[in-house]
Amino acid sequence: MADSYNGLPVPKDGQRITYKDGQIQVPDKPIIPFIEGDGTGRDIWKASARVFDAAVQKAYGGKRSVAWYEIFAGEKAKAKFNEWMPQDSIDAIREFRVAIKGPLTTPVGGGIRSLNVTLRQVLDLYSCIRPVKYYKGTPSPVKNPERMNIVIFRENTEDVYAGVEWEQGTPEAAKLIEFINREMLKGGKKQVRTDSGVGIKPISIFATKRLVRMAYANAGPGTNGSQFFITEVAYPSLDGNYTIFGQCDAPSIELVKRIARMPRNGNDRPNNPPKINKITIAGTGAAAPVHHAPPEFGKSVAEEVRSVLDSIYATHGHGAWKKKLMINDRIADSIFQQVVTRADEYTVLATPNLNGDYISDACAAQVGGLGIAPGANVGDGYAVFEATHGTAPKYADKDVINPGSVILSGVMMFRYLGWNEAADLIESGLERTIEKKTVTYDFERLMQGATKVSTSKFADAIIENMAAGVLTTA
Ligand code: NAP
């Protein structure tokens, strides 16, 4: 381990996170590099770090703490080292494995790669994970935002973001178009117009498998209810089939497929668990949506589900479905309307890169928007947690911006470290603060009777509201 990166000494009292047998090993005082970010990142990081430290202190009473270690990227790195992204910063993340960052300005022109893209490539952070969840009191444009509780696993290395593309009018674009028209589309009616820009959208079996495996690994029983559903949002192939799940070999997929092969009624399965995913029907592993309908209807659904499950018990694995995952597939246009109209039918979405980008923002917009949308780029043994929004430069250094995105990215980070007590405290502190209508400008303008507070005061309120401990209700 180097003694310093970017000329800053490594904290002497902290220890490295290590990786063994597919698991990270977290010491009691892990060294965690952070990039505060540009623009509003400065306000956000100050507020977030106070929330993180207060939660860890409250949860572990000094037994655990984070040895924060600043590394540089973006405008601060440019000013200090005349580089947008010093190699030392990348090396430090590689060394310490887990990092957190605020938003960074994307430098325009000059062939400068964005830090995110570089980190994804260098550390092979192949999954972008975006949990989207409703916190009580959050202003929303939809009637039932509480139905949203979805984790999106977005492939992070391929698709149209692979960067295999050529600008319209360049000799390279002309050459590729000429080749495609001459060799690949020879004799057909279809031709690529010669004044097009062109790109290649690769989606490999390799990248899809590992993304889906990670989604499976994180969709186990116990995380969000009694059953789990993976919805793969794929482009339909030319023959109208979906392209991806058939190629996956995660051990659980065969089990999942057995459930998925149960008789269908049109596009729906007769006991489609997403429709019965709220009120548990004791002993069956299923649930009924009685909160969506009159109680008598809910009761009759529950009875019907129980009778169907009883009738297939002997022929369908003696209740083994309780420990299995349900898999669905959806095409992209369908899932866009489904996450608005029936969000509670989905738990985990595994998606290609571009679709995941759109869908995660569309989901986030229903539960508070980008100001509180967290994210993480995760590979095998490395993870970088980050705000999903940009630097919002017009609000920089004004102490007004919503720090929620970085704070909830910290919640993800603590869960990744296995520090769930700290994560729970932050989530409950944030939810209570919003419920009490103490919010930053972006929420206040959408709420009746709310009190607008600064970034730093919002953090104070979260810390204060942690004091009551963890919420016990879902
Ligand atoms: P942006 O920084 O995300 O800001 C756009 C608008 O979104 C803001 O004006 C504000 O809306 C709202 N917003 C963003 N963050 C918010 C927060 N924390 N709380 C409340 N509202 C928030 O997008 P941009 O202006 O297009 O991009 C600025 C710079 O950031 C660019 O250099 C871009 O490349 C970069 N960027 C970086 C990342 C990253 O590092 N992950 C991501 C995206 C963009 P109102 O004005 O309506 O209040």
Side-chain angles (χ1 to χ4, degrees):
M1 174 167 86
D3 293 340
S4 69
Y5 294 86
N6 299 310
L8 281 190
V10 169
K12 285 211 166 16
D13 54 345
Q15 302 102 33
R16 289 164 70 227
I17 291 171
T18 54
Y19 185 65
K20 201 173 160 215
D21 303 330
Q23 298 288 325
I24 57 158
Q25 318 282 321
V26 183
D28 281 340
K29 187 157 189 182
I31 298 169
I32 298 189
F34 71 93
I35 297 166
E36 68 173 13
D38 297 327
T40 48
R42 294 185 284 275
D43 290 327
I44 290 173
W45 177 257
K46 267 189 244 117
S48 303
R50 284 197 294 118
V51 170
F52 298 153
D53 287 340
V56 171
Q57 172 61 31
K58 182 166 175 59
Y60 309 114
K63 186 178 171 299
R64 285 175 170 168
S65 60
V66 175
W68 298 111
Y69 181 43
E70 181 164 18
I71 57 172
F72 301 92
E75 289 166 5
K76 201 165 176 180
K78 180 78 178 146
K80 267 180 173 294
F81 308 109
N82 197 27
E83 280 184 85
W84 288 97
M85 187 191 40
Q87 183 61 39
D88 261 18
S89 298
I90 296 172
D91 290 345
I93 297 178
R94 198 203 306 268
E95 176 69 35
F96 300 112
R97 293 186 173 274
V98 174
I100 184 163
K101 63 179 273 291
L104 292 170
T105 304
T106 307
V108 180
I112 301 161
R113 284 185 303 172
S114 90
L115 176 75
N116 282 338
V117 172
T118 305
L119 285 176
R120 275 174 215 165
Q121 287 170 354
V122 172
L123 304 177
D124 200 16
L125 306 173
Y126 58 82
S127 179
C128 175
I129 307 176
R130 293 189 174 173
V132 190
K133 164 176 175 184
Y134 177 70
Y135 293 97
K136 269 181 243 154
T138 303
S140 167
V142 297
K143 272 201 232 155
N144 294 105
E146 72 286 352
R147 291 184 187 173
M148 173 75 67
N149 191 357
I150 296 176
V151 184
I152 296 157
F153 288 79
R154 166 189 164 201
E155 205 288 322
N156 221 8
T157 63
E158 300 194 323
D159 201 339
V160 294
Y161 295 100
V164 189
E165 58 192 5
W166 291 273
E167 199 178 338
Q168 184 275 328
T170 58
E172 291 84 1
K175 193 171 174 184
L176 183 58
I177 293 169
E178 195 275 326
F179 171 75
I180 291 170
N181 286 341
R182 176 170 44 84
E183 294 290 331
M184 313 301 288
L185 300 175
K186 191 164 65 180
K189 284 187 188 152
K190 198 165 47 177
Q191 290 276 285
V192 176
R193 293 190 182 94
T194 53
D195 63 348
S196 305
V198 282
I200 289 176
K201 171 191 158 66
I203 294 189
S204 68
I205 292 172
F206 171 82
T208 303
K209 276 182 182 172
R210 64 183 185 171
L211 184 270
V212 172
R213 277 199 200 101
M214 191 183 280
Y216 269 98
N218 284 276
T223 48
N224 192 23
S226 60
Q227 295 208 36
F228 297 88
F229 312 98
I230 296 209
T231 298
E232 189 276 321
V233 185
Y235 287 90
S237 62
L238 290 178
D239 59 7
N241 291 321
Y242 306 110
T243 50
I244 293 179
F245 267 117
Q247 299 158 356
C248 297
D249 68 353
S252 52
I253 284 188
E254 273 311 311
L255 303 177
V256 169
K257 278 185 180 167
R258 250 183 264 159
I259 295 179
R261 279 192 212 114
M262 287 162 71
R264 285 171 173 237
N265 171 14
N267 281 330
D268 267 332
R269 284 140 197 135
N271 62 337
N272 187 343
K275 287 188 180 155
I276 51 168
N277 67 353
K278 287 295 171 188
I279 304 298
T280 303
I281 301 164
T284 66
V290 291
H291 67 303
H292 290 174
E296 319 77 64
F297 177 75
K299 209 167 154 229
S300 74
V301 170
E303 277 163 14
E304 192 182 332
V305 170
R306 181 185 290 285
S307 90
V308 170
L309 293 178
D310 285 350
S311 72
I312 63 173
Y313 188 83
T315 51
H316 288 71
H318 299 270
W321 60 73
K322 292 177 205 173
K323 293 189 182 137
K324 294 176 183 173
L325 300 174
M326 170 64 88
I327 158 183
N328 274 318
D329 51 58
R330 292 287 183 270
I331 57 171
D333 58 344
S334 162
I335 195 68
F336 266 94
Q337 56 94 8
Q338 297 264 309
V339 295
V340 176
T341 56
R342 298 150 70 153
D344 54 351
E345 295 188 4
Y346 299 91
T347 306
V348 172
L349 304 181
T351 76
N353 203 337
L354 179 65
N355 284 342
D357 202 6
Y358 293 156
I359 290 164
S360 54
D361 277 13
C363 290
Q366 295 181 49
V367 292
L370 291 184
I372 63 160
N377 295 306
V378 181
D380 295 329
Y382 297 100
V384 177
F385 298 84
E386 64 168 352
T388 54
H389 56 72
T391 60
K394 67 183 174 186
Y395 299 119
D397 303 312
K398 293 188 174 155
D399 196 23
V400 296
I401 202 82
N402 188 342
S405 177
V406 170
I407 289 175
L408 289 174
S409 300
V411 167
M412 290 179 78
M413 182 185 79
F414 286 126
R415 295 206 187 284
Y416 182 80
L417 301 180
W419 293 15
N420 288 322
E421 299 81 2
D424 289 345
L425 280 170
I426 298 171
E427 278 200 289
S428 63
L430 178 86
E431 184 159 60
R432 280 202 186 93
T433 305
I434 297 171
E435 258 190 299
K436 289 179 179 173
K437 298 190 175 190
T438 306
V439 289
T440 46
Y441 81 93
D442 52 320
F443 277 24
E444 190 263 349
R445 67 189 171 188
L446 301 172
M447 293 165 83
Q448 298 284 327
T451 307
K452 179 164 74 176
V453 292
S454 62
T455 312
S456 45
K457 292 276 185 252
F458 186 62
D460 290 343
I462 295 172
I463 293 168
E464 199 176 301
N465 286 323
M466 278 177 206
V470 174
L471 291 170
T472 48
T473 52

